[in-house]
Amino acid sequence: ALGLDQRLGTLGIDTRTGSDSLEILPTLYDLSTEIFKDNYAYSPISYKEFYQLYARIVALDAVVIVANNDQGPVGIAFSYDIGPYASACGAEPKLTSVLKTIGVHPRARNQRIGFGISYLTHRLWLERGFQQIIHAYMKSDNASRAMSSHFDQALREYALVRWRAT
């Protein structure tokens, strides 16, 4: 079996930071739509809505990692800088980033691509001097929960709820 570094070496890894990430937002949108379309907690939005949300974050300090195989993009990791953050009352604030979105295309699941790009994201932020990384994952039994537990312990579990007028 190939090790993680060898498996990542078989993929094309495109890493964009800051405003350079704007160029890759269409890929991030298309891939997110495909990756999450069957997740019960996912609500599709238009590209215009997506762009309005993400362009503001990307302009600050964001990192987008896209993994590609012979068939095109198969994995994404989207993270951003939130600056000094104290994870508990009275704790000393630490330079923190959030790994907000990670996903793997259905045709490439069970190849540990998600774990690999999560690892690359963590490594990049740590090399930049960040002291903690918050990995936000969807509250479901999937691989992102296992990735989160590999790096450290859960800070808090949450559920996102969208209310609709009836």
Side-chain angles (χ1 to χ4, degrees):
L2 294 175
L4 180 61
D5 288 332
Q6 291 170 312
R7 277 182 278 179
L8 288 173
T10 65
L11 297 171
I13 303 293
D14 187 4
T15 302
R16 305 289 179 98
T17 58
S19 60
D20 289 342
S21 300
L22 283 172
E23 298 169 15
I24 211 159
L25 283 184
T27 301
L28 183 63
Y29 173 76
D30 291 343
L31 201 48
S32 293
T33 300
E34 188 64 30
I35 289 168
F36 298 114
K37 73 180 179 185
D38 294 329
N39 189 300
Y40 71 92
Y42 176 70
S43 297
I45 61 174
S46 70
Y47 179 72
K48 181 180 178 182
E49 293 170 300
F50 179 89
Y51 185 87
Q52 289 172 338
L53 291 169
Y54 280 78
R56 291 180 297 178
I57 298 169
V58 166
L60 299 172
D61 186 12
V63 174
V64 179
I65 295 177
V66 177
N68 299 281
N69 67 12
D70 294 341
Q71 298 171 343
V74 291
I76 54 166
F78 176 77
S79 58
Y80 56 92
D81 169 5
I82 62 169
Y85 175 77
S87 59
C89 291
E92 188 68 31
K94 296 178 180 177
L95 198 54
T96 304
S97 71
V98 172
L99 177 49
K100 189 246 175 244
T101 302
I102 190 162
V104 176
H105 194 283
R107 72 172 179 264
R109 293 211 173 120
N110 300 318
Q111 298 176 26
R112 302 201 33 102
I113 292 170
F115 187 87
I117 57 180
S118 176
Y119 165 77
L120 293 174
T121 301
H122 283 76
R123 190 174 75 185
L124 186 144
W125 286 106
L126 294 173
E127 286 171 357
R128 293 180 63 192
F130 281 68
Q131 299 157 296
Q132 65 184 1
I133 298 159
I134 298 171
H135 182 182
Y137 60 88
M138 293 192 107
K139 189 174 179 178
S140 59
D141 292 326
N142 63 22
S144 66
R145 177 170 285 182
M147 282 182 255
S148 293
S149 64
H150 172 81
F151 289 105
D152 208 344
Q153 61 187 7
L155 202 68
R156 177 184 322 137
E157 290 200 0
Y158 64 93
L160 300 177
V161 177
R162 185 170 93 182
W163 295 92
R164 299 175 205 209
T166 57

